[in-house]
Amino acid sequence: MIHQNRRQELLSQFDDNCVLIISTNPEQFRNGDVSFPFRPHSDFFYLTGFQEPEAVAVISKDSYCMFLRPKDPAREIWDGARVGLLEAPSVLNLDHAFDINQLEVELTQLIPAGHSVYFDAKPCELDSKLTKLLAQYNPTSLQMPLHEMRLIKEESEILTMQKAADISCAAHTLAMTQVSPNKFEYELQSVFDAHFAKNNTQHAYTPIVAGGKNGCILHYIDNNQVLKSGDLVLIDAGCELDYYASDITRTFPVSGQFSEPQKQIYQIVLDAQLAAIDSIKPGANIHKPHKIASDIIQQGLEALGLLSPKDCLSKFYMHGTGHWLGMDVHDVGKYQDNQQHRVFEKGMVTTVEPGIYIRKDAKIDPVYHNIGIRIEDDVLVTNEGNTVLTKNLIKTINDIETLMSQTNL
């Protein structure tokens, strides 16, 4: 029912003479005849709930049809059961189901004369075929209305995202209790691998486990170096549950105690993050958290003598403070209206993730070299202000050191 309601809501934004066409991902080969685990395209699953590859949904005011793979007993022995054409109408609440192999023959027959077509092509063979078939209709992009729908989360989506956040928070807590000098980064990653699998989830994105100077590489994913005593380790990892993502970063000392310079930088980032989160509420400009975080970081680094008022903050803080979160870890939804930053609305979920990254530099006091710190939480906009979905994960210096002192003896 939830997918039917979404289709009806989307259709309500167009006139009666419209046809919406959307496809899912094909299988992707890893090597030889080995495929990556299949994940449906987020837009397609959002509207259909169908989880098989090679499918095209055709949605109008009068009908809901789908092209999908037919039953194939020989392939199903190897790959598992398919819904098939006979069962699809009842299972998926379709009016008609068609063989995906008949797409070129049947598709245009489902588009009444004079109807407008809405379609977005992805870079894959199936959508290349659809682009050719639909060229005569001069299709209009479906992205804006669909992605704006996805940006405002329903109650069921929020519940799923909260569960994903809770699972990820527990994994980060475990990592803090299991880190020790001379372990490898990949050993710490294995904590997340195991905990996510145990909870029937998967990584929402390639995890970052970055010790020491690697924490100053924003998208470090090698995760293969030794964790050294006295260094920090930055972990950016979150699970995906039922196609909804969490996205969390914590930074903590490998040996359990922050050095004084590490404490100084960490507290600046934490202060910036807390203030940025506090600014999130309905009607607030979505750029405000970044402005607040940037100002606090600038002031903090100036107070330590690491920046002058004339220096550019991007030397130490070179990314935004947040992004939309949902079915995709960098979720859909526009950030501007008429070239102006939009405002927060109830049901949006954003990350808040300020950071400071101090690479080795002859102009900088060596005690600050290779300190990379990011703190990231997932924040839901509510009527009253906001709720931090990841609030169960500790992040103050005292809480981190206390936990680590109790477990890393």
Side-chain angles (χ1 to χ4, degrees), residues 24 38-40 44-45 48-53 92 243:
T24 193
F38 177 72
R39 185 194 188 281
F44 182 87
F45 183 81
T48 70
F50 190 46
Q51 302 179 59
E52 292 184 19
L92 301 174
Y243 305 118

Side-chain angles (χ1 to χ4, degrees), residues 237-265:
C239 75
E240 179 184 282
L241 172 66
D242 295 337
Y243 305 118
Y244 285 86
S246 57
D247 187 3
I248 305 173
T249 307
R250 289 294 187 268
T251 310
F252 50 93
V254 172
S255 53
Q257 294 288 316
F258 290 92
S259 69
E260 191 57 35
Q262 290 168 351
K263 284 183 179 181
Q264 292 170 340
I265 302 301

Side-chain angles (χ1 to χ4, degrees), residues 226-245:
V226 172
L227 297 166
K228 300 176 182 178
S229 178
D231 279 350
L232 299 174
V233 57
L234 183 158
I235 300 181
D236 188 337
C239 75
E240 179 184 282
L241 172 66
D242 295 337
Y243 305 118
Y244 285 86

Side-chain angles (χ1 to χ4, degrees), residues 253-366:
V254 172
S255 53
Q257 294 288 316
F258 290 92
S259 69
E260 191 57 35
Q262 290 168 351
K263 284 183 179 181
Q264 292 170 340
I265 302 301
Y266 189 96
Q267 194 61 50
I268 294 170
V269 177
L270 181 58
D271 289 344
Q273 200 224 20
L274 292 173
I277 291 173
D278 192 54
S279 74
I280 295 174
K281 59 184 178 181
N285 185 304
I286 67 167
H287 183 66
K288 190 174 182 180
H290 180 68
K291 178 67 167 60
I292 289 172
S294 297
D295 287 347
I296 291 173
I297 291 172
Q298 177 85 31
Q299 292 162 12
L301 292 175
E302 286 180 15
L304 292 177
L306 296 174
L307 271 182
S308 75
K310 296 181 179 180
D311 289 332
C312 182
L313 180 59
S314 62
K315 179 178 181 179
F316 299 114
Y317 179 34
M318 63 292 292
H319 59 77
T321 299
H323 56 77
W324 302 134
L325 183 69
M327 296 187 76
D328 298 322
V329 69
H330 288 172
D331 207 31
V332 296
K334 60 185 179 180
Y335 290 86
Q336 293 187 331
D337 276 322
N338 298 319
Q339 299 183 324
Q340 299 293 321
H341 295 294
R342 71 186 302 170
V343 299
F344 286 113
E345 300 175 45
K346 177 188 175 184
M348 293 176 170
V349 181
T350 183
T351 64
V352 181
E353 50 180 305
I356 296 175
Y357 313 91
I358 307 175
R359 291 169 295 281
K360 188 175 181 179
D361 187 324
K363 297 179 181 179
I364 296 172
D365 187 333

Side-chain angles (χ1 to χ4, degrees), residues 177 256-257 398-409:
T177 69
Q257 294 288 316
N398 182 66
D399 284 348
I400 291 171
E401 290 188 336
T402 298
L403 174 66
M404 297 184 73
S405 69
Q406 294 170 345
T407 56
N408 294 329
L409 300 178

Side-chain angles (χ1 to χ4, degrees), residues 81-93:
R82 300 178 180 181
V83 171
L85 303 181
L86 293 178
E87 297 295 328
S90 59
V91 172
L92 301 174
N93 196 27

